Amino acid sequence: MDVISLGNEEFEGRNNAYLLDGETTTLVDTGIATARTRTQLRESLAERGYGFSGIDSIVLTHFHPDHAGLAGEIQAASGATVYAHVDDAPLIERDEGALAELDDRRRTLFEQWGMPDAEREELLAFLDSHEGIAGEPARVTRIEDGDGIEVGDLVLETVHTPGHAAGLCCFEFSEGREAFVGDAILPVYTPNVGGADVRVEAPLERYLDSLRTLVARDYERVWPGHRDVIEEPTERARFIVDHHRERTERVLSVLSEGPANAWAVSAALFGDLEGIHVMHGPGEAFAHLDHLERNGVVERDGREYVLVDDPDLEALIPPA
């Protein structure tokens, strides 16, 4: 396996694509569809004796452009089979109905979160101007939890870990001791929940369940979608669970001062935001507020959330 590090100035930077060569040649994730990243990937593959036309299969951890953006272009050049979870496949295929539903859901939630008009219009313009980074549509072979993907003499077992994205999957190998994990866990920062994929219902609850799945799997090491290999993934997953408990405590502290909407809570948590983070910040705040509402700790009055109970935080978000 070769790790190919790719630039990504549009979002978080340092994306990883993983090249598995042997009887067949496979990429796990592809990077974003920008000229710079396309050139980086072409040059990195050429150094290893490959071009886009030599890729037999592409395994995508999730639909976000910085992971799936070049899949359609590579498939057009090679005829590669593209694998992705059934929940994310329509967006990777650039299905018009799925894209329209995503846009409608965003607009509805941006208003519900209390995002001011100017910031909302600026964000929507930003998203429209960056549509091209999703790249060409790909024909997707749909997979689900537990499916095995044969890539030469290796079998990748699909482990569905939704939260950051509805269809985010990890892929086990080495007899279940290692995995490609996309953005399920990351080594430096914590994956966004709530804003990164507004299609996910009960986003924090689902993400915490996914983190517990990773703890139960107890991998020896995992290969994330950004930055360096994670050598102690179980401890990292537990850390992120604890991080969300601490963030919930901060959200409760904001609400103790009086009713607030997701935008106001986001401002207290993160301060001023720009670019894609104008969506990620209040989305994360919403994920926590939604979790509190589902557990009877807050009630929603229009756009604002009102604190109605003093919870046991460890009962609300138990350690993993």
Side-chain angles (χ1 to χ4, degrees):
M1 176 183 68
D2 279 341
V3 183
I4 299 175
S5 183
L6 301 168
N8 173 11
E9 296 177 352
E10 285 72 12
F11 298 116
E12 300 297 349
R14 283 198 59 187
N15 271 88
N16 294 325
Y18 297 96
L19 177 67
L20 311 176
D21 57 357
E23 186 176 324
T24 62
T25 304
T26 300
L27 277 177
V28 178
D29 287 348
T30 67
I32 198 165
T34 62
R36 179 181 177 187
T37 300
R38 181 183 295 108
T39 298
Q40 288 178 331
L41 182 57
R42 284 190 184 278
E43 290 177 350
S44 295
L45 289 173
E47 289 171 3
R48 295 159 173 83
Y50 297 102
F52 282 6
S53 61
I55 303 301
D56 298 305
S57 55
I58 300 168
V59 178
L60 298 175
T61 58
H62 59 300
F63 79 94
H64 288 155
D66 54 334
H67 297 263
L70 290 170
E73 184 175 339
I74 296 170
Q75 184 183 58
S78 66
T81 302
V82 175
Y83 298 96
H85 190 270
V86 61
D87 288 346
D88 281 4
L91 294 177
I92 296 165
E93 293 176 332
R94 312 300 293 159
D95 177 82
E96 289 186 6
L99 292 172
E101 287 181 12
L102 176 61
D103 183 65
D104 288 346
R105 177 68 173 162
R106 282 174 172 165
R107 290 173 183 273
T108 298
L109 285 178
F110 294 168
E111 183 175 350
Q112 181 183 314
W113 294 347
M115 188 180 293
D117 290 346
E119 281 81 357
R120 184 167 67 246
E121 292 309 312
E122 183 178 339
L123 175 59
L124 290 169
F126 172 87
L127 294 171
D128 287 343
S129 70
H130 284 71
E131 271 194 10
I133 63 177
E136 298 179 13
R139 301 180 308 280
V140 176
T141 297
R142 287 155 167 74
I143 55 174
E144 298 188 62
D145 186 65
D147 286 348
I149 303 172
E150 294 186 14
V151 290
D153 56 0
L154 193 66
V155 177
L156 302 178
E157 182 178 347
T158 305
V159 181
H160 187 209
T161 50
H164 177 71
L168 198 153
C169 291
C170 302
F171 298 98
E172 289 185 355
F173 60 101
S174 293
E175 298 181 344
R177 304 313 307 143
E178 299 185 55
F180 301 109
V181 296
D183 289 358
I185 58 173
L186 296 169
V188 175
Y189 52 89
T190 57
N192 180 260
V193 182
D197 188 353
V198 297
R199 301 173 304 153
V200 182
E201 295 292 333
L204 183 58
E205 179 181 339
R206 297 204 73 191
Y207 183 51
L208 293 171
D209 286 345
S210 292
L211 290 171
R212 294 189 175 93
T213 294
L214 295 179
V215 169
R217 297 275 176 166
D218 196 24
Y219 299 119
E220 291 180 359
R221 62 179 177 174
V222 299
W223 303 88
H226 301 264
R227 300 179 184 262
D228 300 322
V229 62
I230 302 174
E231 296 286 357
E232 296 183 346
T234 300
E235 291 310 306
R236 182 61 183 165
R238 286 178 172 146
F239 172 87
I240 297 174
V241 172
D242 293 343
H243 160 83
H244 280 290
R245 189 184 312 107
E246 292 167 4
R247 179 153 288 170
T248 294
E249 187 173 22
R250 292 182 63 196
V251 171
L252 291 169
S253 177
V254 175
L255 294 179
S256 71
E257 301 295 321
N261 59 30
W263 182 261
V265 172
S266 170
L269 293 177
F270 309 115
D272 293 335
L273 301 169
E274 60 182 26
I276 195 67
H277 299 291
V278 176
M279 181 168 66
H280 285 176
E284 182 98 11
F286 164 74
H288 283 264
L289 292 164
D290 173 77
H291 190 63
L292 291 169
E293 183 182 13
R294 290 173 184 273
N295 284 275
V297 178
V298 305
E299 293 179 353
R300 183 157 63 92
D301 182 8
R303 297 176 181 175
E304 293 190 323
Y305 293 82
V306 181
L307 186 61
V308 296
D309 193 14
D310 184 17
D312 177 346
L313 282 171
E314 290 214 350
L316 190 64
I317 302 182

